[in-house]
Amino acid sequence: MRITRLAAAAGAVAMALAMAACGGGDGDGDGTGSSSSSGVVDKASKDKKLVIGVKADQPGLGLQSGTTYTGFDIEIAKILAKGLGVPESGIEWKTTVSSNREPFIQQGQVDLVVATYTINDERKKVVNFGGPYYVAGQDLLVAADSTITGPESLDGKKVCSVTGSTPAKRMQTDYPKAQLQLLDSYSKCVNLLASKSVDAVTTDDIILAGYAAQEQYAGKFKVVGKPFSTEPYGIGLKKTDTAGCNKINEILKASATDGSYKAAWDSTLGKSGKAAPELDVTKLTNCS
Amino acid sequence: MNVFSDPANFDVYVTGFLWILKLTIGGTVGALVLGVLLAAMRVSPVPVLRGFGAAWVNTFRNTPLTLIIFFCYFGLYATLGLTISDNLERNNYWLGVIGLAVYTAAFVCEAIRSGINTVPAGQAEAARAIGMSFRQTLTMIVLPQAGRTVVAPLGSIFIALAKNSTIVGTIGLAESSNAMKELINANGDVVIPIFLVFAGTFAAVLIPSGYAFGWLANRLAVKR
């Protein structure tokens, strides 16, 4: 009798602990007392700290080597942090993948997401977007000798993309005749392309260019070069955080005029030879 | 549960569990056939076969299933070019079944081997005495008795197999764990309800099947 009671008590404790552990993720995030309702502006000025979600496997945009991250998204994130009054040492980078960006923002695990994050209406329902700071377009990466000339010639072909990304969704809805292989990162897709297990990898042109330019793949791949969408990259933050969004747009506007935007480009993607794009400040989101 | 009242989301949920069901069926058939063969090898008088059986069990029982599934995809398919179907989804399914079967067979083999140990030596001796060959002894006398004693452990193995099927999601099959990820991705504010529905579905199916195996084990056990 005593044994069963003890076991029941132990079970109850274990359950409670498990629940608490689960619950920890969706509250304040780090438990430093910053309430989840306050926006990034408040948090940045009070704590001098920001948690920024970035990609870790995209050369030129967000690439992790060891504990440091490099790329255009990273530079943009640094500009934003500086504008919000957070020193570079106060930034905590957090690796995100395409499918967990909204949950991370909604649950407060990150304050900002700068991770090749396309602004679209569906996402706007659950998160708020600052920016866009760059406009990319969906394209195809194929073997250098491939006959694929665009999304129309993909019927029956195998195309790899990433679970939960915009390019994957577009393939499913607009080009259902292509066979879609979904994996959790573009680098795995590029591996498959190298072994000819898939015929193409699809995502934004700028990401593909980054892969094609990697040393180990030099000369093997080509980007088809006919973008079939426009992907305005935004900075994701909490749905309720209008003030933060406005502030981010202000910082972006300033960066376009003071040259820091161009510097960010030149030190990262600009190395591929592509000239810095014009940051069109009239297109910035209205943050409602 | 507003998330699931959306027909598109419900569809994702159903598709996910249909794949789990198909993987479980495919994996079970494969694992049973392979497992019985391996068990026969491990008790056979031929040293090479015994060695092969032991090597199989020790390799696959001690390799994480994630690695095996990953190897099936990136090794067998992407590198060695093993293509079972031109349809990508079907191909991924079969690669998953191969991985699950190869892995689970190791456990099935050990369960059956322990069942063989419960069959009294006299049974095999009697079979030999009336002139049965090794194969006849095994398939007509020993395995039927052994099989009936290991229904309960086999039940556990197949419940584990059903849950393990979610790992095939790592190679892009839209099974339930991928379906759950997709729904959570689009509805980050209701993570816990979505999780509970998916976990609950597994529990709702697997707890009764656990009892069914227990009942069956009682019914079939050779009373000695």
Side-chain angles (χ1 to χ4, degrees), chain A residues 12-29:
Chain A
V13 170
M15 279 284 260
L17 282 175
M19 300 281 260
C22 283
D26 54 21
D28 299 337

Side-chain angles (χ1 to χ4, degrees), chain A:
Chain A
M1 204 53 208
R2 168 160 301 164
I3 289 173
T4 46
R5 255 211 319 261
L6 262 177
V13 170
M15 279 284 260
L17 282 175
M19 300 281 260
C22 283
D26 54 21
D28 299 337
D30 51 10
T32 50
S34 57
S35 117
S36 55
S37 60
S38 76
V40 287
V41 180
D42 288 347
K43 184 178 173 186
S45 63
K46 207 163 59 188
D47 301 348
K48 300 284 173 212
K49 267 184 200 153
L50 280 174
V51 184
I52 302 182
V54 292
K55 290 267 178 85
D57 67 338
Q58 282 172 357
L61 284 150
L63 184 69
Q64 184 180 19
S65 51
T67 53
T68 56
Y69 292 79
T70 51
F72 184 55
D73 278 350
I74 309 297
E75 294 305 317
I76 292 290
K78 282 180 189 163
I79 292 175
L80 295 176
K82 200 173 154 204
L84 287 163
V86 175
E88 221 178 288
S89 57
I91 304 175
E92 185 193 327
W93 303 107
K94 192 158 190 169
T95 301
T96 59
V97 295
S98 292
S99 62
N100 68 14
R101 292 174 296 194
E102 286 98 306
F104 268 22
I105 295 173
Q106 286 173 305
Q107 296 163 358
Q109 295 196 34
V110 295
D111 299 310
L112 296 173
V113 164
V114 193
T116 63
Y117 201 9
T118 301
I119 303 174
N120 63 31
D121 291 339
E122 202 179 320
R123 285 174 179 162
K124 270 188 188 163
K125 282 182 209 154
V126 288
V127 299
N128 210 337
F129 281 106
Y133 59 92
Y134 182 76
V135 180
Q138 184 171 352
D139 211 325
L140 298 164
L141 183 71
V142 294
D145 56 356
S146 171
T147 54
I148 293 170
T149 54
E152 313 76 33
S153 53
L154 284 177
D155 287 10
K157 293 274 188 351
K158 293 174 183 141
V159 183
C160 189
S161 194
V162 160
T163 325
S165 64
T166 327
K169 287 224 179 76
R170 181 165 297 109
M171 289 308 296
Q172 278 166 335
T173 52
D174 296 358
Y175 304 99
K177 281 183 186 155
Q179 299 192 58
L180 194 59
Q181 170 71 50
L182 293 175
L183 291 174
D184 58 5
S185 76
Y186 288 116
S187 35
K188 283 186 189 136
C189 280
V190 175
N191 266 330
L192 285 183
L193 183 64
S195 72
K196 300 210 186 296
S197 304
V198 295
D199 303 300
V201 176
T202 184
T203 183
D204 303 341
D205 46 7
I206 196 73
I207 302 174
L208 295 175
Y211 281 114
Q214 274 184 304
E215 260 173 54
Q216 69 264 44
Y217 298 128
K220 273 187 167 173
F221 303 143
K222 65 177 181 198
V223 180
V224 168
K226 271 198 226 157
F228 46 98
S229 73
T230 47
E231 309 288 346
Y233 284 173
I235 288 123
L237 65 173
K238 272 227 168 81
K239 177 80 184 130
T240 49
D241 194 2
T242 314
C245 174
N246 280 321
K247 179 75 183 162
I248 281 169
N249 282 348
E250 264 172 48
I251 300 170
L252 283 177
K253 234 180 256 179
S255 75
T257 44
D258 69 10
S260 54
Y261 179 83
K262 188 175 180 300
W265 178 275
D266 288 344
S267 68
T268 55
L269 288 170
K271 285 179 187 161
S272 68
K274 204 171 167 189
E278 204 63 42
L279 177 58
D280 189 349
V281 293
T282 58
K283 295 259 169 63
L284 293 176
T285 51
N286 60 11
C287 293
S288 56

